[in-house]
Amino acid sequence: MALAGEVIDLQKHYHLKGGVVVKALCGVSMQFPQGDWLAIMGSSGSGKSTLLNLLGALDRPTSGEYILGGHHVSELSDDDLSHIRNQLIGFIFQSFNLIPQYTVLENVQIPLHYRPGRPALSSRDIDHCVALCEQVGLGDRIEHRPYQLSGGQQQRVAIARALANDPEIILADEPTGNLDSKTGEEIMEMLRKLNKEGRTILMVTHENEVAAQAKRQIYMKDGLIAGHGIFRG
């Protein structure tokens, strides 16, 4: 099976005042094939969010290799990295990260504005985003703004936005963290459908019930992968 990405001895250190060095990642190596669904677990400070940021090419490692879609991330310029990120990755955040003054449709369109060359949105682009809104059950809410939506509806907007550029990889950071259990299960059902369609999903969660729905799990501790499978400890 083809690889969507691979990290080799990935390390990330943060240099604080007074010469203090925080080693958030201490040598992580792993592969994720296309169509994988990986849950990344661990307590606060374990390195899971740092790892997700690096996998999303939102930050650069201190050392080690990250190969994303055949590209060596450390060798890319900032512009090239931005383009690769825009083309290959869709992001779903716990806090939704919607722009409050934008409508649902305008929020979904955001990734299209950052395509290489930044072409103006075409009628086909707009129709595509309307279809995504309908796909996540918000076809009748496209002119609403985030404050007019429930938390579950806002997360649906975030999922539609993540799909705007038809990415191969979905990164989800605690996608059910701000939702009640029923709404959370609805969001998980949407992720299951995306994975069945062939999308690779990399998901941070602290909930065993959520992690159990992924194809596999890793448990982070002290900046390292400390185990595989659901952690019951």
PDB file of all heavy atoms in Angstrom, residues 7 10-12 14 24-25 27-30 32 38-41 46-59 66 171 202 204 218-220 223-225:
ATOM      1  N   VAL A   7       7.448   9.753   9.001  1.00  0.00           N
ATOM      2  CA  VAL A   7       8.358  10.561   9.810  1.00  0.00           C
ATOM      3  C   VAL A   7       9.476   9.660  10.321  1.00  0.00           C
ATOM      4  O   VAL A   7       9.256   8.503  10.677  1.00  0.00           O
ATOM      5  CB  VAL A   7       7.635  11.261  10.982  1.00  0.00           C
ATOM      6  CG1 VAL A   7       6.601  12.226  10.464  1.00  0.00           C
ATOM      7  CG2 VAL A   7       6.975  10.267  11.917  1.00  0.00           C
ATOM      8  N   LEU A  10      11.795  12.090  14.261  1.00  0.00           N
ATOM      9  CA  LEU A  10      11.323  13.464  14.336  1.00  0.00           C
ATOM     10  C   LEU A  10      11.515  14.018  15.747  1.00  0.00           C
ATOM     11  O   LEU A  10      11.086  13.414  16.730  1.00  0.00           O
ATOM     12  CB  LEU A  10       9.847  13.521  13.956  1.00  0.00           C
ATOM     13  CG  LEU A  10       9.337  14.804  13.304  1.00  0.00           C
ATOM     14  CD1 LEU A  10      10.053  15.058  11.984  1.00  0.00           C
ATOM     15  CD2 LEU A  10       7.834  14.728  13.075  1.00  0.00           C
ATOM     16  N   GLN A  11      12.163  15.190  15.831  1.00  0.00           N
ATOM     17  CA  GLN A  11      12.383  15.850  17.111  1.00  0.00           C
ATOM     18  C   GLN A  11      11.942  17.306  17.013  1.00  0.00           C
ATOM     19  O   GLN A  11      12.098  17.950  15.968  1.00  0.00           O
ATOM     20  CB  GLN A  11      13.849  15.775  17.520  1.00  0.00           C
ATOM     21  CG  GLN A  11      14.362  14.341  17.629  1.00  0.00           C
ATOM     22  CD  GLN A  11      15.673  14.245  18.392  1.00  0.00           C
ATOM     23  OE1 GLN A  11      15.899  14.978  19.350  1.00  0.00           O
ATOM     24  NE2 GLN A  11      16.534  13.342  17.969  1.00  0.00           N
ATOM     25  N   LYS A  12      11.372  17.798  18.106  1.00  0.00           N
ATOM     26  CA  LYS A  12      10.985  19.200  18.163  1.00  0.00           C
ATOM     27  C   LYS A  12      11.322  19.744  19.537  1.00  0.00           C
ATOM     28  O   LYS A  12      10.821  19.263  20.563  1.00  0.00           O
ATOM     29  CB  LYS A  12       9.482  19.366  17.897  1.00  0.00           C
ATOM     30  CG  LYS A  12       9.012  20.815  17.909  1.00  0.00           C
ATOM     31  CD  LYS A  12       9.674  21.646  16.809  1.00  0.00           C
ATOM     32  CE  LYS A  12       9.200  23.110  16.830  1.00  0.00           C
ATOM     33  NZ  LYS A  12       9.848  23.915  15.771  1.00  0.00           N
ATOM     34  N   TYR A  14      11.779  23.325  21.949  1.00  0.00           N
ATOM     35  CA  TYR A  14      11.424  24.735  22.105  1.00  0.00           C
ATOM     36  C   TYR A  14      12.408  25.380  23.073  1.00  0.00           C
ATOM     37  O   TYR A  14      12.621  24.864  24.180  1.00  0.00           O
ATOM     38  CB  TYR A  14       9.992  24.885  22.629  1.00  0.00           C
ATOM     39  CG  TYR A  14       8.948  24.374  21.672  1.00  0.00           C
ATOM     40  CD1 TYR A  14       8.396  23.109  21.821  1.00  0.00           C
ATOM     41  CD2 TYR A  14       8.511  25.155  20.608  1.00  0.00           C
ATOM     42  CE1 TYR A  14       7.430  22.630  20.938  1.00  0.00           C
ATOM     43  CE2 TYR A  14       7.549  24.695  19.721  1.00  0.00           C
ATOM     44  CZ  TYR A  14       7.014  23.431  19.897  1.00  0.00           C
ATOM     45  OH  TYR A  14       6.061  22.962  19.019  1.00  0.00           O
ATOM     46  N   ALA A  24       9.704  18.630  23.142  1.00  0.00           N
ATOM     47  CA  ALA A  24       8.318  18.192  22.958  1.00  0.00           C
ATOM     48  C   ALA A  24       8.238  16.857  22.222  1.00  0.00           C
ATOM     49  O   ALA A  24       7.364  16.036  22.503  1.00  0.00           O
ATOM     50  CB  ALA A  24       7.534  19.260  22.201  1.00  0.00           C
ATOM     51  N   LEU A  25       9.147  16.650  21.268  1.00  0.00           N
ATOM     52  CA  LEU A  25       9.265  15.362  20.588  1.00  0.00           C
ATOM     53  C   LEU A  25      10.718  14.927  20.649  1.00  0.00           C
ATOM     54  O   LEU A  25      11.628  15.724  20.421  1.00  0.00           O
ATOM     55  CB  LEU A  25       8.822  15.460  19.124  1.00  0.00           C
ATOM     56  CG  LEU A  25       7.329  15.645  18.828  1.00  0.00           C
ATOM     57  CD1 LEU A  25       7.091  15.665  17.323  1.00  0.00           C
ATOM     58  CD2 LEU A  25       6.486  14.577  19.483  1.00  0.00           C
ATOM     59  N   GLY A  27      12.195  11.994  19.094  1.00  0.00           N
ATOM     60  CA  GLY A  27      12.624  10.975  18.147  1.00  0.00           C
ATOM     61  C   GLY A  27      11.488  10.044  17.766  1.00  0.00           C
ATOM     62  O   GLY A  27      11.505   8.861  18.105  1.00  0.00           O
ATOM     63  N   VAL A  28      10.515  10.560  17.045  1.00  0.00           N
ATOM     64  CA  VAL A  28       9.334   9.787  16.651  1.00  0.00           C
ATOM     65  C   VAL A  28       9.500   9.300  15.214  1.00  0.00           C
ATOM     66  O   VAL A  28       9.813  10.096  14.321  1.00  0.00           O
ATOM     67  CB  VAL A  28       8.049  10.630  16.773  1.00  0.00           C
ATOM     68  CG1 VAL A  28       6.848   9.892  16.190  1.00  0.00           C
ATOM     69  CG2 VAL A  28       7.795  10.990  18.233  1.00  0.00           C
ATOM     70  N   SER A  29       9.305   8.017  15.008  1.00  0.00           N
ATOM     71  CA  SER A  29       9.345   7.432  13.669  1.00  0.00           C
ATOM     72  C   SER A  29       8.064   6.637  13.446  1.00  0.00           C
ATOM     73  O   SER A  29       7.654   5.858  14.302  1.00  0.00           O
ATOM     74  CB  SER A  29      10.555   6.496  13.511  1.00  0.00           C
ATOM     75  OG  SER A  29      11.768   7.211  13.653  1.00  0.00           O
ATOM     76  N   MET A  30       7.426   6.851  12.308  1.00  0.00           N
ATOM     77  CA  MET A  30       6.201   6.131  11.992  1.00  0.00           C
ATOM     78  C   MET A  30       5.856   6.349  10.538  1.00  0.00           C
ATOM     79  O   MET A  30       6.367   7.259   9.881  1.00  0.00           O
ATOM     80  CB  MET A  30       5.034   6.619  12.859  1.00  0.00           C
ATOM     81  CG  MET A  30       4.775   8.112  12.785  1.00  0.00           C
ATOM     82  SD  MET A  30       3.369   8.635  13.766  1.00  0.00           S
ATOM     83  CE  MET A  30       2.129   8.760  12.492  1.00  0.00           C
ATOM     84  N   PHE A  32       2.339   6.277   7.790  1.00  0.00           N
ATOM     85  CA  PHE A  32       0.894   6.151   7.659  1.00  0.00           C
ATOM     86  C   PHE A  32       0.546   5.991   6.184  1.00  0.00           C
ATOM     87  O   PHE A  32       0.808   6.857   5.367  1.00  0.00           O
ATOM     88  CB  PHE A  32       0.134   7.322   8.300  1.00  0.00           C
ATOM     89  CG  PHE A  32       0.630   8.695   7.978  1.00  0.00           C
ATOM     90  CD1 PHE A  32       0.037   9.448   6.972  1.00  0.00           C
ATOM     91  CD2 PHE A  32       1.676   9.262   8.694  1.00  0.00           C
ATOM     92  CE1 PHE A  32       0.480  10.736   6.681  1.00  0.00           C
ATOM     93  CE2 PHE A  32       2.125  10.547   8.410  1.00  0.00           C
ATOM     94  CZ  PHE A  32       1.529  11.275   7.396  1.00  0.00           C
ATOM     95  N   LEU A  38      -5.510   6.948  11.870  1.00  0.00           N
ATOM     96  CA  LEU A  38      -4.659   6.836  13.043  1.00  0.00           C
ATOM     97  C   LEU A  38      -5.144   7.768  14.136  1.00  0.00           C
ATOM     98  O   LEU A  38      -5.335   8.960  13.908  1.00  0.00           O
ATOM     99  CB  LEU A  38      -3.215   7.197  12.675  1.00  0.00           C
ATOM    100  CG  LEU A  38      -2.206   7.270  13.827  1.00  0.00           C
ATOM    101  CD1 LEU A  38      -1.982   5.888  14.434  1.00  0.00           C
ATOM    102  CD2 LEU A  38      -0.894   7.877  13.356  1.00  0.00           C
ATOM    103  N   ALA A  39      -5.350   7.215  15.322  1.00  0.00           N
ATOM    104  CA  ALA A  39      -5.670   8.027  16.494  1.00  0.00           C
ATOM    105  C   ALA A  39      -4.400   8.220  17.312  1.00  0.00           C
ATOM    106  O   ALA A  39      -3.697   7.254  17.627  1.00  0.00           O
ATOM    107  CB  ALA A  39      -6.738   7.343  17.341  1.00  0.00           C
ATOM    108  N   ILE A  40      -4.104   9.464  17.645  1.00  0.00           N
ATOM    109  CA  ILE A  40      -2.932   9.808  18.448  1.00  0.00           C
ATOM    110  C   ILE A  40      -3.427  10.195  19.834  1.00  0.00           C
ATOM    111  O   ILE A  40      -4.187  11.157  19.985  1.00  0.00           O
ATOM    112  CB  ILE A  40      -2.147  10.968  17.812  1.00  0.00           C
ATOM    113  CG1 ILE A  40      -1.756  10.615  16.372  1.00  0.00           C
ATOM    114  CG2 ILE A  40      -0.911  11.307  18.643  1.00  0.00           C
ATOM    115  CD1 ILE A  40      -1.191  11.783  15.583  1.00  0.00           C
ATOM    116  N   MET A  41      -3.004   9.442  20.833  1.00  0.00           N
ATOM    117  CA  MET A  41      -3.480   9.649  22.195  1.00  0.00           C
ATOM    118  C   MET A  41      -2.323  10.020  23.106  1.00  0.00           C
ATOM    119  O   MET A  41      -1.158   9.869  22.751  1.00  0.00           O
ATOM    120  CB  MET A  41      -4.167   8.374  22.705  1.00  0.00           C
ATOM    121  CG  MET A  41      -5.276   7.863  21.811  1.00  0.00           C
ATOM    122  SD  MET A  41      -6.045   6.391  22.488  1.00  0.00           S
ATOM    123  CE  MET A  41      -6.942   7.127  23.875  1.00  0.00           C
ATOM    124  N   SER A  46       2.272  15.380  26.368  1.00  0.00           N
ATOM    125  CA  SER A  46       2.898  14.137  25.884  1.00  0.00           C
ATOM    126  C   SER A  46       3.555  14.315  24.518  1.00  0.00           C
ATOM    127  O   SER A  46       4.371  13.495  24.109  1.00  0.00           O
ATOM    128  CB  SER A  46       1.857  13.025  25.802  1.00  0.00           C
ATOM    129  OG  SER A  46       0.843  13.351  24.865  1.00  0.00           O
ATOM    130  N   GLY A  47       3.166  15.364  23.798  1.00  0.00           N
ATOM    131  CA  GLY A  47       3.727  15.601  22.469  1.00  0.00           C
ATOM    132  C   GLY A  47       2.752  15.342  21.331  1.00  0.00           C
ATOM    133  O   GLY A  47       3.092  15.554  20.171  1.00  0.00           O
ATOM    134  N   LYS A  48       1.525  14.942  21.661  1.00  0.00           N
ATOM    135  CA  LYS A  48       0.592  14.568  20.586  1.00  0.00           C
ATOM    136  C   LYS A  48       0.191  15.769  19.723  1.00  0.00           C
ATOM    137  O   LYS A  48       0.105  15.649  18.501  1.00  0.00           O
ATOM    138  CB  LYS A  48      -0.640  13.865  21.159  1.00  0.00           C
ATOM    139  CG  LYS A  48      -1.516  14.682  22.094  1.00  0.00           C
ATOM    140  CD  LYS A  48      -2.660  13.830  22.646  1.00  0.00           C
ATOM    141  CE  LYS A  48      -3.649  14.680  23.455  1.00  0.00           C
ATOM    142  NZ  LYS A  48      -3.012  15.305  24.640  1.00  0.00           N
ATOM    143  N   SER A  49      -0.055  16.917  20.338  1.00  0.00           N
ATOM    144  CA  SER A  49      -0.432  18.098  19.550  1.00  0.00           C
ATOM    145  C   SER A  49       0.750  18.621  18.741  1.00  0.00           C
ATOM    146  O   SER A  49       0.591  19.075  17.603  1.00  0.00           O
ATOM    147  CB  SER A  49      -0.985  19.194  20.462  1.00  0.00           C
ATOM    148  OG  SER A  49      -2.213  18.788  21.038  1.00  0.00           O
ATOM    149  N   THR A  50       1.945  18.554  19.324  1.00  0.00           N
ATOM    150  CA  THR A  50       3.147  18.941  18.583  1.00  0.00           C
ATOM    151  C   THR A  50       3.322  18.052  17.366  1.00  0.00           C
ATOM    152  O   THR A  50       3.616  18.529  16.260  1.00  0.00           O
ATOM    153  CB  THR A  50       4.391  18.841  19.483  1.00  0.00           C
ATOM    154  OG1 THR A  50       4.247  19.726  20.592  1.00  0.00           O
ATOM    155  CG2 THR A  50       5.652  19.198  18.714  1.00  0.00           C
ATOM    156  N   LEU A  51       3.123  16.745  17.546  1.00  0.00           N
ATOM    157  CA  LEU A  51       3.235  15.813  16.431  1.00  0.00           C
ATOM    158  C   LEU A  51       2.207  16.137  15.349  1.00  0.00           C
ATOM    159  O   LEU A  51       2.532  16.156  14.159  1.00  0.00           O
ATOM    160  CB  LEU A  51       3.045  14.379  16.926  1.00  0.00           C
ATOM    161  CG  LEU A  51       3.062  13.285  15.851  1.00  0.00           C
ATOM    162  CD1 LEU A  51       4.373  13.295  15.074  1.00  0.00           C
ATOM    163  CD2 LEU A  51       2.824  11.906  16.476  1.00  0.00           C
ATOM    164  N   LEU A  52       0.977  16.422  15.748  1.00  0.00           N
ATOM    165  CA  LEU A  52      -0.060  16.731  14.764  1.00  0.00           C
ATOM    166  C   LEU A  52       0.277  18.001  13.995  1.00  0.00           C
ATOM    167  O   LEU A  52       0.069  18.077  12.780  1.00  0.00           O
ATOM    168  CB  LEU A  52      -1.421  16.865  15.447  1.00  0.00           C
ATOM    169  CG  LEU A  52      -2.621  16.813  14.491  1.00  0.00           C
ATOM    170  CD1 LEU A  52      -2.821  15.397  13.963  1.00  0.00           C
ATOM    171  CD2 LEU A  52      -3.899  17.291  15.163  1.00  0.00           C
ATOM    172  N   ASN A  53       0.814  19.010  14.686  1.00  0.00           N
ATOM    173  CA  ASN A  53       1.209  20.255  14.007  1.00  0.00           C
ATOM    174  C   ASN A  53       2.292  19.989  12.959  1.00  0.00           C
ATOM    175  O   ASN A  53       2.275  20.577  11.869  1.00  0.00           O
ATOM    176  CB  ASN A  53       1.703  21.279  15.019  1.00  0.00           C
ATOM    177  CG  ASN A  53       0.580  21.938  15.785  1.00  0.00           C
ATOM    178  OD1 ASN A  53      -0.565  21.942  15.347  1.00  0.00           O
ATOM    179  ND2 ASN A  53       0.897  22.500  16.935  1.00  0.00           N
ATOM    180  N   LEU A  54       3.226  19.115  13.293  1.00  0.00           N
ATOM    181  CA  LEU A  54       4.285  18.788  12.342  1.00  0.00           C
ATOM    182  C   LEU A  54       3.729  17.970  11.179  1.00  0.00           C
ATOM    183  O   LEU A  54       4.100  18.186  10.024  1.00  0.00           O
ATOM    184  CB  LEU A  54       5.414  18.029  13.043  1.00  0.00           C
ATOM    185  CG  LEU A  54       6.217  18.837  14.070  1.00  0.00           C
ATOM    186  CD1 LEU A  54       7.229  17.946  14.774  1.00  0.00           C
ATOM    187  CD2 LEU A  54       6.932  20.016  13.407  1.00  0.00           C
ATOM    188  N   LEU A  55       2.833  17.038  11.469  1.00  0.00           N
ATOM    189  CA  LEU A  55       2.227  16.239  10.407  1.00  0.00           C
ATOM    190  C   LEU A  55       1.396  17.114   9.472  1.00  0.00           C
ATOM    191  O   LEU A  55       1.269  16.819   8.282  1.00  0.00           O
ATOM    192  CB  LEU A  55       1.344  15.135  11.006  1.00  0.00           C
ATOM    193  CG  LEU A  55       2.075  14.035  11.782  1.00  0.00           C
ATOM    194  CD1 LEU A  55       1.073  13.076  12.420  1.00  0.00           C
ATOM    195  CD2 LEU A  55       3.033  13.273  10.870  1.00  0.00           C
ATOM    196  N   GLY A  56       0.836  18.193  10.018  1.00  0.00           N
ATOM    197  CA  GLY A  56       0.070  19.123   9.201  1.00  0.00           C
ATOM    198  C   GLY A  56       0.925  20.169   8.523  1.00  0.00           C
ATOM    199  O   GLY A  56       0.391  21.062   7.851  1.00  0.00           O
ATOM    200  N   ALA A  57       2.253  20.066   8.675  1.00  0.00           N
ATOM    201  CA  ALA A  57       3.194  21.024   8.079  1.00  0.00           C
ATOM    202  C   ALA A  57       2.909  22.444   8.540  1.00  0.00           C
ATOM    203  O   ALA A  57       3.147  23.414   7.824  1.00  0.00           O
ATOM    204  CB  ALA A  57       3.168  20.931   6.553  1.00  0.00           C
ATOM    205  N   LEU A  58       2.381  22.573   9.765  1.00  0.00           N
ATOM    206  CA  LEU A  58       2.156  23.883  10.361  1.00  0.00           C
ATOM    207  C   LEU A  58       3.405  24.382  11.086  1.00  0.00           C
ATOM    208  O   LEU A  58       3.500  25.555  11.436  1.00  0.00           O
ATOM    209  CB  LEU A  58       0.994  23.817  11.351  1.00  0.00           C
ATOM    210  CG  LEU A  58      -0.375  23.494  10.749  1.00  0.00           C
ATOM    211  CD1 LEU A  58      -1.392  23.251  11.850  1.00  0.00           C
ATOM    212  CD2 LEU A  58      -0.832  24.614   9.829  1.00  0.00           C
ATOM    213  N   ASP A  59       4.337  23.484  11.307  1.00  0.00           N
ATOM    214  CA  ASP A  59       5.588  23.815  11.993  1.00  0.00           C
ATOM    215  C   ASP A  59       6.667  22.926  11.393  1.00  0.00           C
ATOM    216  O   ASP A  59       6.378  21.923  10.728  1.00  0.00           O
ATOM    217  CB  ASP A  59       5.427  23.566  13.500  1.00  0.00           C
ATOM    218  CG  ASP A  59       6.499  24.279  14.323  1.00  0.00           C
ATOM    219  OD1 ASP A  59       7.352  24.965  13.726  1.00  0.00           O
ATOM    220  OD2 ASP A  59       6.471  24.147  15.565  1.00  0.00           O
ATOM    221  N   TYR A  66      10.473  14.410   7.578  1.00  0.00           N
ATOM    222  CA  TYR A  66       9.050  14.219   7.347  1.00  0.00           C
ATOM    223  C   TYR A  66       8.828  14.206   5.845  1.00  0.00           C
ATOM    224  O   TYR A  66       9.106  15.193   5.166  1.00  0.00           O
ATOM    225  CB  TYR A  66       8.226  15.322   8.008  1.00  0.00           C
ATOM    226  CG  TYR A  66       6.726  15.220   7.775  1.00  0.00           C
ATOM    227  CD1 TYR A  66       6.111  14.006   7.504  1.00  0.00           C
ATOM    228  CD2 TYR A  66       5.917  16.356   7.823  1.00  0.00           C
ATOM    229  CE1 TYR A  66       4.748  13.911   7.294  1.00  0.00           C
ATOM    230  CE2 TYR A  66       4.548  16.274   7.617  1.00  0.00           C
ATOM    231  CZ  TYR A  66       3.971  15.051   7.346  1.00  0.00           C
ATOM    232  OH  TYR A  66       2.612  14.967   7.133  1.00  0.00           O
ATOM    233  N   LEU A 171      -6.559  16.095   8.954  1.00  0.00           N
ATOM    234  CA  LEU A 171      -6.024  16.185  10.307  1.00  0.00           C
ATOM    235  C   LEU A 171      -7.111  16.712  11.222  1.00  0.00           C
ATOM    236  O   LEU A 171      -7.663  17.794  10.985  1.00  0.00           O
ATOM    237  CB  LEU A 171      -4.806  17.115  10.358  1.00  0.00           C
ATOM    238  CG  LEU A 171      -3.446  16.420  10.224  1.00  0.00           C
ATOM    239  CD1 LEU A 171      -3.306  15.829   8.830  1.00  0.00           C
ATOM    240  CD2 LEU A 171      -2.312  17.374  10.497  1.00  0.00           C
ATOM    241  N   LEU A 202      -5.697  11.511  10.350  1.00  0.00           N
ATOM    242  CA  LEU A 202      -4.801  11.557  11.501  1.00  0.00           C
ATOM    243  C   LEU A 202      -5.512  12.379  12.561  1.00  0.00           C
ATOM    244  O   LEU A 202      -5.786  13.553  12.354  1.00  0.00           O
ATOM    245  CB  LEU A 202      -3.461  12.189  11.122  1.00  0.00           C
ATOM    246  CG  LEU A 202      -2.755  11.587   9.901  1.00  0.00           C
ATOM    247  CD1 LEU A 202      -1.496  12.374   9.564  1.00  0.00           C
ATOM    248  CD2 LEU A 202      -2.432  10.116  10.124  1.00  0.00           C
ATOM    249  N   VAL A 204      -6.073  13.474  16.718  1.00  0.00           N
ATOM    250  CA  VAL A 204      -5.712  13.539  18.132  1.00  0.00           C
ATOM    251  C   VAL A 204      -6.981  13.466  18.962  1.00  0.00           C
ATOM    252  O   VAL A 204      -7.970  14.145  18.682  1.00  0.00           O
ATOM    253  CB  VAL A 204      -4.953  14.844  18.449  1.00  0.00           C
ATOM    254  CG1 VAL A 204      -4.993  15.161  19.942  1.00  0.00           C
ATOM    255  CG2 VAL A 204      -3.505  14.751  17.995  1.00  0.00           C
ATOM    256  N   ILE A 218      -1.884   5.124  18.467  1.00  0.00           N
ATOM    257  CA  ILE A 218      -0.585   5.201  19.133  1.00  0.00           C
ATOM    258  C   ILE A 218      -0.768   6.047  20.392  1.00  0.00           C
ATOM    259  O   ILE A 218      -1.623   6.934  20.439  1.00  0.00           O
ATOM    260  CB  ILE A 218       0.515   5.808  18.236  1.00  0.00           C
ATOM    261  CG1 ILE A 218       0.155   7.231  17.797  1.00  0.00           C
ATOM    262  CG2 ILE A 218       0.797   4.904  17.052  1.00  0.00           C
ATOM    263  CD1 ILE A 218       1.296   7.940  17.060  1.00  0.00           C
ATOM    264  N   TYR A 219       0.032   5.733  21.387  1.00  0.00           N
ATOM    265  CA  TYR A 219      -0.034   6.469  22.657  1.00  0.00           C
ATOM    266  C   TYR A 219       1.280   7.192  22.870  1.00  0.00           C
ATOM    267  O   TYR A 219       2.356   6.577  22.861  1.00  0.00           O
ATOM    268  CB  TYR A 219      -0.311   5.513  23.822  1.00  0.00           C
ATOM    269  CG  TYR A 219      -0.547   6.238  25.120  1.00  0.00           C
ATOM    270  CD1 TYR A 219      -1.778   6.815  25.396  1.00  0.00           C
ATOM    271  CD2 TYR A 219       0.476   6.378  26.058  1.00  0.00           C
ATOM    272  CE1 TYR A 219      -2.004   7.506  26.575  1.00  0.00           C
ATOM    273  CE2 TYR A 219       0.264   7.068  27.241  1.00  0.00           C
ATOM    274  CZ  TYR A 219      -0.975   7.626  27.488  1.00  0.00           C
ATOM    275  OH  TYR A 219      -1.181   8.320  28.660  1.00  0.00           O
ATOM    276  N   MET A 220       1.193   8.525  23.033  1.00  0.00           N
ATOM    277  CA  MET A 220       2.373   9.348  23.218  1.00  0.00           C
ATOM    278  C   MET A 220       2.649   9.572  24.704  1.00  0.00           C
ATOM    279  O   MET A 220       1.731   9.772  25.500  1.00  0.00           O
ATOM    280  CB  MET A 220       2.184  10.711  22.546  1.00  0.00           C
ATOM    281  CG  MET A 220       1.926  10.670  21.046  1.00  0.00           C
ATOM    282  SD  MET A 220       3.397  10.231  20.112  1.00  0.00           S
ATOM    283  CE  MET A 220       4.489  11.600  20.521  1.00  0.00           C
ATOM    284  N   GLY A 223       7.097  12.739  24.722  1.00  0.00           N
ATOM    285  CA  GLY A 223       7.630  13.034  23.402  1.00  0.00           C
ATOM    286  C   GLY A 223       7.977  11.830  22.555  1.00  0.00           C
ATOM    287  O   GLY A 223       8.629  11.965  21.517  1.00  0.00           O
ATOM    288  N   LEU A 224       7.538  10.657  22.986  1.00  0.00           N
ATOM    289  CA  LEU A 224       7.825   9.420  22.255  1.00  0.00           C
ATOM    290  C   LEU A 224       6.555   8.602  22.087  1.00  0.00           C
ATOM    291  O   LEU A 224       5.587   8.780  22.830  1.00  0.00           O
ATOM    292  CB  LEU A 224       8.865   8.581  23.011  1.00  0.00           C
ATOM    293  CG  LEU A 224      10.282   9.152  23.111  1.00  0.00           C
ATOM    294  CD1 LEU A 224      11.069   8.386  24.163  1.00  0.00           C
ATOM    295  CD2 LEU A 224      10.978   9.076  21.748  1.00  0.00           C
ATOM    296  N   ILE A 225       6.579   7.697  21.127  1.00  0.00           N
ATOM    297  CA  ILE A 225       5.490   6.727  21.002  1.00  0.00           C
ATOM    298  C   ILE A 225       5.726   5.648  22.053  1.00  0.00           C
ATOM    299  O   ILE A 225       6.685   4.882  21.976  1.00  0.00           O
ATOM    300  CB  ILE A 225       5.419   6.111  19.601  1.00  0.00           C
ATOM    301  CG1 ILE A 225       5.116   7.202  18.570  1.00  0.00           C
ATOM    302  CG2 ILE A 225       4.352   5.024  19.554  1.00  0.00           C
ATOM    303  CD1 ILE A 225       5.125   6.708  17.132  1.00  0.00           C
TER     304      ILE A 225
END
